Amino acid sequence: MSSFPDGIRFSVLDRSRTREGETPARALRETVRLAREVEALGYHRFWVSEHHGVPGVAGSAPTVLAAAVAAATSAVRVGTGGVMLPNHRPLVVAEQFGVLESLFPGRIDMGVGRSVGFTDGVRRALGRGRDEADRFGEQLSELLGWFTGEQTVHPHVRARPAEGLRVPPFLLATGEGAAIAAAAGLPLVVGDLRGRDRLLAAVDAYRTGFRPSRWAAEPYVIVAGTVVVAATGEEAARLLVPEAWAMAYARTRGVFPPLDAPERIEALAMTGKQRGLYEEGLRGHVHGTEEQVAEALERAVEETGAQEVLVTTSTYDRKALSASYRGLARAVGLEPRALREPDRSK
């Protein structure tokens, strides 16, 4: 069905989205369950995200959740998409990934980003200000230095057990962040697939400015975005409704809510601004039948030259979400894995 370049990879980022009336504990357990599911389908990576103080997202501690995912799986790469470095001390981040890599050698990815908190209150609680993102380049250099033993910010301090370990770093970025990834010689994770002109500009800037490093000898681009597969285009479009409304609500109320059922959302009395944002949130995503999605992703990969696609889908119906990942796996030609139970004796 598909005609992707040889070696193209497909991966999953799950944000542990809660559903209306559901506990955060359920959302986190479902993230671990989903990891097992997409591992069996043949996806390359499974990443988790970092959000603080957000009612609709349970994933606030990505390295902790990544440990649970890695313990429940045996073959898929596990990582973060990402740890927001301005929220943390680089030493602590290095130590956390050093522990993960020590427990699950050869399977851990360290995805980092430069966002700071969701609201002013969250930033104050984290002890961070908006300007922390301006120091991201320095923080990134220090973080990588903890692994190589070459950081100079804190002489005579060593990161244990991180120093000497090779945990592949990835930089989640748009715009300015692409230049930082290029200068540091790191793989780039960039989205979203809807804003193609902006996406292509970031990718071009990254490739143009890329400097080979010990972490990557040449540019490596992962394009990220929402992808939904269903039996019909109409069904796929309907699966976009919960996240589109959550985004519209967040941008007008300042609170990111749990996902709700499409039929309840469609019955809501929205303000004019909410309606506009909601309809905007439904447009431009890659969605449709298996054939339609395969064709759309083939175009995206051809235009960007990406080596990997990171899928970040959210919807209310978990069965439909699982079916979407199964359909996508078929559409892009993934080979299912025969899995063994993870070895928990190590």
Side-chain angles (χ1 to χ4, degrees):
M1 180 183 297
S2 62
S3 57
F4 290 94
D6 290 342
I8 190 75
R9 294 163 167 168
F10 291 86
S11 300
V12 172
L13 167 64
D14 189 69
R15 293 187 292 145
S16 302
R17 294 287 275 112
T18 59
R19 275 63 173 173
E20 188 64 39
E22 177 183 272
T23 65
R26 167 81 188 278
L28 294 170
R29 293 189 185 101
E30 288 291 341
T31 289
V32 176
R33 182 200 61 78
L34 182 63
R36 289 277 291 167
E37 194 170 289
V38 302
E39 177 184 49
L41 291 171
Y43 287 90
H44 183 61
R45 309 180 202 276
F46 187 91
W47 284 2
V48 295
S49 63
E50 174 182 338
H51 296 272
H52 298 282
V54 180
V57 182
S60 58
T63 53
V64 176
L65 184 53
V69 169
T73 56
S74 60
V76 70
R77 295 195 63 86
V78 177
T80 56
V83 167
M84 295 299 118
L85 193 52
N87 292 337
H88 309 280
R89 299 298 302 179
L91 171 62
V92 175
V93 176
E95 290 172 337
Q96 290 172 347
F97 279 96
V99 170
L100 284 170
E101 176 64 19
S102 298
L103 292 172
F104 309 102
R107 290 180 55 212
I108 300 301
D109 299 324
M110 182 174 65
V112 297
R114 63 192 295 268
S115 295
V116 186
F118 181 64
T119 64
D120 288 338
V122 168
R123 287 188 287 273
R124 286 194 296 270
L126 291 169
R128 297 291 186 268
R130 288 181 181 273
D131 59 348
E132 289 291 334
D134 297 335
R135 298 182 50 250
F136 178 73
E138 301 170 28
Q139 296 163 338
L140 179 64
S141 178
E142 181 185 337
L143 172 64
L144 299 177
W146 287 116
F147 287 92
T148 63
E150 297 172 337
Q151 70 81 28
T152 58
V153 180
H154 303 283
H156 313 301
V157 180
R158 316 292 282 272
R160 311 291 188 192
E163 187 174 317
L165 296 180
R166 187 171 182 85
V167 182
F170 298 79
L171 203 153
L172 283 66
T174 57
E176 180 185 345
I180 296 173
L186 301 184
L188 174 71
V189 185
V190 60
D192 67 29
L193 290 170
R194 293 189 299 171
R196 197 60 57 87
D197 290 343
R198 184 180 179 186
L199 173 63
L200 291 174
V203 170
D204 287 346
Y206 167 69
R207 289 204 174 100
T208 299
F210 185 85
R211 300 176 184 173
S213 72
R214 71 176 67 205
W215 307 105
E218 57 188 26
Y220 189 91
V221 174
I222 303 176
V223 292
T226 295
V227 179
V228 177
V229 178
T232 68
E234 293 75 14
E235 290 179 35
R238 190 168 173 76
L239 294 178
L240 296 170
V241 166
E243 187 72 8
W245 167 243
M247 292 298 295
Y249 189 93
R251 291 176 65 181
T252 54
R253 298 288 187 89
V255 176
F256 200 72
L259 298 173
D260 207 347
E263 58 270 19
R264 290 199 288 267
I265 292 169
E266 291 164 346
L268 293 172
M270 301 182 191
T271 66
K273 184 175 183 180
Q274 285 176 335
R275 175 66 62 180
L277 292 168
Y278 166 68
E279 292 177 354
E280 178 187 338
L282 294 172
R283 290 193 291 267
H285 298 293
V286 176
H287 70 283
T289 64
E290 292 180 21
E291 293 81 3
Q292 291 168 334
V293 166
E295 291 175 2
L297 289 178
E298 284 169 11
R299 288 195 299 272
V301 169
E302 181 180 3
E303 291 174 4
T304 62
Q307 288 96 336
E308 190 168 339
V309 177
L310 181 67
V311 180
T312 61
T313 306
S314 296
T315 194
Y316 177 81
D317 186 336
R318 293 191 185 279
K319 290 184 179 179
L321 180 63
S322 293
S324 178
Y325 281 123
R326 289 195 299 273
L328 178 59
R330 288 191 297 268
V332 301
L334 297 186
E335 295 185 6
R337 289 186 178 98
L339 298 176
R340 66 181 188 278
E341 284 298 312
D343 184 357
R344 296 185 175 85
S345 65
K346 293 180 180 179

